[in-house]
Amino acid sequence: MPRIPDACDVKGASGVSIPVRYAESWEDGFGVRGWKLDLPGQGADVIAATPFTGERIPTSVFVHDIVDHHLCGFALSGYVDEAGALIQLAERTGSDPVPDFVQIIDEDLLPGLFESEDWQALLPVSLVELVEAASDARSGMARLRGQWGDGVLRALWIAGFVETGWELAAGARDAWERHGLAYANRAMTARALQRLFERVDAMVCKQGWSRARGVFRIAPTGVNFRFEEPALGPDEYEPLTD
């Protein structure tokens, strides 16, 4: 089946199409139930998500991946893209991004377990040079931690995330507007997408499907979803409302 184009119509309005896939258990090393974006370079190695919202944020990780990452032009991996996406999440929800930054810092960056080379953009150049002068990233970060302490380094990492994410905000706005979407309606779009996602996920659970594929369509007036496999009835639609 041919790829659905980015431009689409939802209740007569232009917008963007986002193919997604569902599995009862993904064969990706995680093995969990949930949904992933079905886009090149977006989500293949990301753990599948369900509509669970957690305690601090009223929308799920899956909605965050669509609204704050993909529609804002950010990849689902990389520290710089994560900085941009988490600032977008904080702006649309009023949440504090620092706990998420601290989790990344404590799990990846302070131990020197860098998953991408763009970590260099988040630290002062002098400290980056000290890390790179060591035999490997772990020993380089261990040396910095011994010299400056975790508190100072954590603060510098946080500052790097916030500054980088703030600088990327204008580009995120441009990305939204290129899709024909109103940037000011991001919060409403996310809430509508969350409500729709909950219904779609409930449907696959009710039907007992082990696999499913479909398309979310996001437009200025609302969002909808169409199952591609298995085919089932008319599109589900959710309008944007306050």
Side-chain angles (χ1 to χ4, degrees):
M1 181 173 294
R3 173 70 63 195
I4 295 171
D6 281 344
C8 70
D9 285 330
V10 179
K11 299 297 181 181
S14 63
V16 60
S17 293
I18 303 173
V20 297
R21 288 184 179 271
Y22 168 82
E24 190 175 39
S25 178
W26 284 87
E27 298 176 359
D28 58 359
F30 300 110
V32 301
R33 184 189 82 84
W35 299 79
K36 294 189 181 189
L37 304 187
D38 189 20
L39 295 165
Q42 294 275 27
D45 59 348
V46 175
I47 189 169
T50 66
F52 176 72
T53 63
E55 297 179 357
R56 294 189 296 117
I57 306 297
T59 50
S60 61
V61 171
F62 191 70
V63 171
H64 167 62
D65 288 347
I66 292 175
V67 172
D68 304 311
H69 279 271
H70 182 60
L71 294 180
C72 289
F74 299 127
L76 297 185
S77 60
Y79 300 115
V80 169
D81 286 284
E82 193 62 42
L86 285 174
I87 290 297
Q88 293 299 306
L89 173 66
E91 195 277 333
R92 74 169 169 85
T93 63
S95 62
D96 183 359
V98 171
D100 290 317
F101 290 142
V102 169
Q103 181 177 356
I104 297 170
I105 292 164
D106 288 352
E107 291 181 358
D108 290 8
L109 302 178
L110 281 177
L113 303 176
F114 305 142
E115 294 188 356
S116 59
E117 290 300 318
D118 59 352
W119 67 270
Q120 301 164 347
L122 306 177
L123 273 186
V125 173
S126 59
L127 298 187
V128 172
E129 291 175 347
L130 288 175
V131 174
E132 293 183 330
S135 58
D136 56 65
R138 292 190 186 188
S139 59
M141 282 305 303
R143 184 176 303 172
L144 283 189
R145 295 172 77 176
Q147 180 177 352
W148 293 102
D150 285 2
V152 170
L153 291 176
R154 187 177 291 110
L156 288 171
W157 282 116
I158 292 171
F161 271 115
V162 173
E163 181 179 7
T164 299
W166 181 263
E167 290 174 348
L168 294 171
R173 176 187 291 271
D174 291 343
W176 263 78
E177 293 176 350
R178 284 195 298 272
H179 292 307
L181 302 174
Y183 185 78
N185 290 341
R186 284 165 45 251
M188 284 194 297
T189 300
R191 291 193 297 270
L193 186 58
Q194 177 66 28
R195 294 191 296 269
L196 180 60
F197 182 35
E198 290 172 1
R199 297 206 305 271
V200 169
D201 187 68
M203 177 64 73
V204 298
C205 292
K206 179 180 179 180
Q207 297 294 328
W209 293 331
S210 60
R211 296 286 188 275
R213 183 170 64 87
V215 180
F216 282 102
R217 296 179 176 180
I218 302 172
T221 56
V223 298
N224 79 341
F225 181 84
R226 182 180 70 247
F227 279 104
E228 298 288 332
E229 295 177 4
L232 181 73
D235 295 5
E236 290 283 327
Y237 177 70
E238 182 69 31
L240 267 61
T241 56
D242 289 324

